[in-house]
Amino acid sequence: MTVWPEAAHVVEVYDHRLPQPTTHHREPQHMDGKHKILAALTGSAMTAGLTGLALGPTATTPAHSPTLRAAAGPSGMSVVEWNRELITVLSDPKAQPPTIHPTRSFALLQAAEYDAVVSVTRTGPAYLFSVSAPRGARADAAADQAAHDVLVALYPAKRASVERRLSSQLSAIPNGPGKQAGIRVGAEVARRLISLRSHDGSSTKPPPFSPRNVAGGYRPTPPAFPTPVFTNWGSVKPFVLAKGSQFRPPPPPAVSTAEYATALNEVKSLGRKTSTTRTPDQTAAGKFWAAAPVWNVWNQIAQGLVTSQHASLEKAVKVFAQLNLSLADTAIAMYDAKYTYRVWRPVTALRLGGTHYNPRIVGDLNWTPLLPTAPDPSYPAAHGALSQAAATTLTRFYGAQHHLVVTSKGVTRTFASFQRAATEAWLSRIWSGQHTAIDNRAGQQLGTQVAGFVAQHI
């Protein structure tokens, strides 16, 4: 599994009500009239073909104020710093086994900070644990200690850097009984959470993968033909959902159908490495959204939001907890569906088109996608599911329209809303030859459902 360093993405977030920066911004270019359906999806995010995917009233009337007001109490910046620390830890590909999905670590970190803070402040219901806290206990000390203890438990080899982070964070809090009480609260929350999740199935050795050498069946993809990694992740105990299959999408259309042929032929044209129908901007978007793990991108967007809006500690822990519990459970649900249906990737479908599994598809033994294909089944799409979960969550906190500028390795993309960013993320997987629109629609629906369920429970 490729893990990218924190520096891969620099995220700037501007309040849409403030004067905008003078740098030139551009919305992602859309496709010409020949491909109106994709243009419509990018421009409005939802079409008649995406039934049940609207964000609902919370998209335009969020349950929380669109602006996170400056707080009189502790700042949310400590939460941002711990989130950055985890991204730095994960930049080391040896930090954890490749069979452990990183979204689990983000969920553990943010859930521990959230429960530590609300144990002290009593400003909201606990996610799992509310421990006893004496009057005067410091919520910021509780959050810092909880974050430290989770990261040390998950990454003992990184203890030195995590200890330095804790020392820096705690040094800003005045010494006294309140600080010590907060430290004890954070330590207890982290201990309970790590103990509970130690038997969630994440450490189970994945069973050997057996390819399905039938029409539509997933098998490893060229050029390296990597073995799938997360074959059992759909069986991991979710953080909020009852089980990974709770929102499992319906079976995709058979590869012999006209619907599948239409979707695959779209990828054949737009996703080919040497495509003449894909625009330069779509090529840039395809590479942009593949430059770093998509969960890193959305966490860095949240970092920018919390920082720019001077969020309180209470608000920051809630934003990051909802975001990462949604991402973690979406990952579990996504892999449940992927290995239930085990649909082949476009590169396999196109190279085997000459086997006449569908008369509407003309095979091409030399077809190559713009980017290498990820080592897992195609349906549903990961970028579609994870980005939609993130956009749904952040829209609930910040409103449907929020100006975003995201820069990755010198490339800048500008968006008028979280939904537009998410929509480009999943369309980029068509443009890079990874997924069909069928995969993307299922992923988008799954992410919306998971994020909505998480929001109701924390």
Side-chain angles (χ1 to χ4, degrees), residues 99-100 104 197-204 232-233 236-237:
T99 55
I100 303 294
R104 176 180 184 267
R197 295 299 303 188
S198 64
H199 304 292
D200 63 5
S202 60
S203 61
T204 302
N232 72 322
W233 202 254
V236 170
K237 179 179 175 58

Side-chain angles (χ1 to χ4, degrees), residues 354-435:
T355 58
H356 306 297
Y357 65 86
N358 191 322
R360 305 167 189 83
I361 296 169
V362 177
D364 183 348
L365 289 174
N366 297 313
W367 190 89
T368 301
L370 174 65
L371 300 174
T373 301
D376 52 48
S378 199
Y379 179 91
H383 273 59
L386 294 166
S387 291
Q388 189 63 37
T392 302
T393 299
L394 294 178
T395 295
R396 288 179 182 275
F397 283 99
Y398 295 95
Q401 301 300 316
H402 205 103
H403 186 75
L404 304 175
V405 179
V406 187
T407 299
S408 173
K409 297 185 177 180
V411 178
T412 296
R413 310 294 293 179
T414 304
F415 308 97
S417 68
F418 303 111
Q419 184 58 61
R420 286 192 178 229
T423 300
E424 185 185 85
W426 60 265
L427 285 174
S428 76
R429 306 307 278 170
I430 295 175
W431 303 331
S432 60
Q434 307 298 300
H435 285 289

Side-chain angles (χ1 to χ4, degrees), residues 17 38 102 130 132 137 174 194 198 225 279 285 342 346 417 427:
R17 299 169 303 172
L38 287 182
S130 182
S132 177
I194 289 294
S198 64
F225 299 94
T279 70
R342 299 175 67 178
S417 68
L427 285 174

